[in-house]
Amino acid sequence: MQANDTPPDNDNDAPAASEPVEVIAESTPAEEGVPSLEDTLREAELKAAENHDAWLRAKAETENVRRRAQEDIAKAAKFAIERFARELLAVKDSLEIALATDAQSVDSLRAGTEVTLKQLVAAFEKSALREVNPLGEKFDPNLHQAISVVASTQEPNTVVTVLQKGYLLADRVLRPAMVVVAKAEA
């Protein structure tokens, strides 16, 4: 058949051009369980909204935790010495009592000073502040600061004199001991 040819005039074969054709879509059993695109999009938008809300809440919680941690660090730095300061108050009180006494003898001043020193040593111990007195020990540059070297009968690199005691705060050098060290005989 060519393009100019007219189709055969048969009433049973095709409807006339002027009559509307009604297409009836038959649904197959496989399509009945599948959600439409609109339903799928709606579900995806709801899930995205839920995820966004959860993300915002998690972000806010993270910011709150960070802020609280910064506040805790600031408080810890500000009040870190509180326990040690409380221990020193007793030492200060003892010194003030000693100075307030009018009738002082050398023996009473010495006894009061010894009691005050014991209170100070106790405060140091409670705060993990330890004394370094290396007399007769080997020189350790991590704990000692050599001021001079002298000839001595002691073994070389041995601390001969302690000019100033050192201190450790929880195994960290707060102040090295200033020492004089024996030198090797030449």
Side-chain angles (χ1 to χ4, degrees):
M1 214 198 262
Q2 293 182 354
N4 298 18
D5 294 338
T6 58
D9 200 6
N10 191 350
D11 288 341
N12 295 339
D13 289 318
S18 61
E19 292 181 25
V21 177
E22 184 177 328
V23 177
I24 300 173
E26 293 183 25
S27 60
T28 61
E31 291 178 350
E32 288 177 5
V34 176
S36 69
L37 288 175
E38 289 85 19
D39 291 341
T40 305
L41 179 61
R42 222 175 287 115
E43 285 179 27
E45 287 173 342
L46 287 173
K47 188 71 173 171
E50 286 177 25
N51 287 337
H52 183 70
D53 184 53
W55 175 78
L56 286 175
R57 289 178 189 274
K59 182 178 177 183
E61 180 63 24
T62 303
E63 284 298 314
N64 288 339
V65 168
R66 184 189 57 76
R67 183 184 45 78
R68 276 188 238 119
Q70 285 179 336
E71 288 173 1
D72 290 346
I73 289 169
K75 285 179 184 176
K78 185 176 181 181
F79 298 111
I81 197 164
E82 180 179 8
R83 183 178 63 165
F84 183 64
R86 192 174 293 125
E87 296 295 328
L88 287 182
L89 292 177
V91 175
K92 182 180 183 293
D93 292 342
S94 293
L95 290 172
E96 287 175 345
I97 290 169
L99 291 175
T101 306
D102 290 335
Q104 297 178 2
S105 68
V106 173
D107 291 337
S108 67
L109 281 175
R110 181 166 184 79
T113 304
E114 287 173 355
V115 169
T116 304
L117 181 59
K118 285 180 185 178
Q119 288 175 330
L120 185 61
V121 169
F124 282 6
E125 287 174 358
K126 287 180 182 178
S127 298
L129 185 60
R130 292 182 318 173
E131 184 179 280
V132 176
N133 189 2
L135 186 62
E137 296 177 5
K138 280 285 194 189
F139 175 74
D140 182 353
N142 297 316
L143 300 174
H144 314 137
Q145 181 177 354
I147 301 302
S148 65
V149 180
V150 295
S152 174
T153 58
Q154 292 186 358
E155 193 175 317
N157 289 330
T158 301
V159 175
V160 177
T161 309
V162 177
L163 302 172
Q164 187 179 58
K165 295 176 185 176
Y167 289 91
L168 299 175
L169 179 60
D171 297 328
R172 179 185 283 176
V173 176
L174 188 60
R175 181 179 80 188
M178 289 190 186
V179 298
V180 176
V181 180
K183 70 176 177 179
E185 292 183 26

